[in-house]
Amino acid sequence: MYSDKVIDHYTNPRNVGEIENADGIGEVGNPVCGDIMRMYLKIKDGIIEDIKFKTFGCGAAIATSSVSTEMLKGKTIEQALKLTNKEVVDALDGLPPVKLHCSVLAEEAVRSAIADYYRKQGDKTEEEIIKICGIKEGVSCAHEGEVNEAD
Ligand code: FES
């Protein structure tokens, strides 16, 4: 049912944790199941230098979070904003259809974290940020509260 890659990333998730003084933090929830993912970014000269995540969610959510951090490390902000949940799923050699909604968390979390980064930079309006990041109005990140470790 699950590919070897999904099982690998679930049992041995990469880049789990927090980044102290992160340049951008994004938190999103999956409305289908209520699971939560938080993503931390360290950005230098427009490049994602470091990325970590915490996911309180199912195995598919943890695997997609993990593989997406590997795909995003070293990428530019522009490249990161183009990441789609389909690419994340393909990188895992697929997910069962019933678990596809879980893959959306990673794409949304990185967009939310980049929006937070732009807000901290302070040189763009909220309208511009919403447009560039493709997020819904009013979506913000949570800097407080508890999200359990992925493992
Ligand atoms: Fe909630 Fe997978 S069941 S993210």
Side-chain angles (χ1 to χ4, degrees):
M1 182 172 173
Y2 287 110
S3 72
D4 289 346
K5 280 193 188 163
V6 173
I7 292 165
D8 175 33
H9 277 274
Y10 169 64
T11 52
N12 178 28
R14 294 24 157 206
N15 303 307
V16 173
E18 291 180 27
I19 296 177
E20 231 176 279
N21 301 318
D23 297 310
I25 303 173
E27 182 176 298
V28 291
N30 190 322
V32 180
C33 59
D35 290 344
I36 296 169
M37 174 177 181
R38 189 179 292 173
M39 191 178 270
Y40 301 81
L41 301 177
K42 197 86 201 154
I43 296 175
K44 195 168 174 216
D45 299 330
I47 309 260
I48 297 174
E49 280 204 325
D50 198 11
I51 178 166
K52 291 204 186 300
F53 79 93
K54 283 183 166 182
T55 294
F56 181 72
C58 70
I62 290 164
T64 49
S65 305
S66 169
V67 80
S68 66
T69 60
E70 284 197 326
M71 295 166 83
L72 290 165
K73 204 181 262 191
K75 295 283 189 315
T76 64
I77 293 175
E78 289 74 21
Q79 288 169 328
L81 286 171
K82 286 189 187 137
L83 181 78
T84 64
N85 58 309
K86 182 177 182 322
E87 289 170 319
V88 174
V89 172
D90 286 349
L92 289 171
D93 293 338
L95 278 174
V98 70
K99 302 303 283 180
L100 277 178
H101 71 93
C102 313
S103 64
V104 179
L105 276 182
E107 179 190 331
E108 290 186 344
V110 71
R111 288 172 183 277
S112 168
I114 292 171
D116 183 48
Y117 166 74
Y118 281 139
R119 286 186 189 112
K120 285 184 172 128
Q121 298 294 300
D123 58 356
K124 291 187 177 32
T125 65
E126 185 61 20
E127 229 172 43
E128 287 171 329
I129 292 171
I130 287 170
K131 200 165 164 217
I132 295 168
C133 297
I135 56 173
K136 291 182 201 89
E137 206 160 346
V139 170
S140 60
C141 64
H143 294 254
E144 287 168 22
E146 274 309 302
V147 178
N148 293 338
E149 296 281 352
D151 51 355

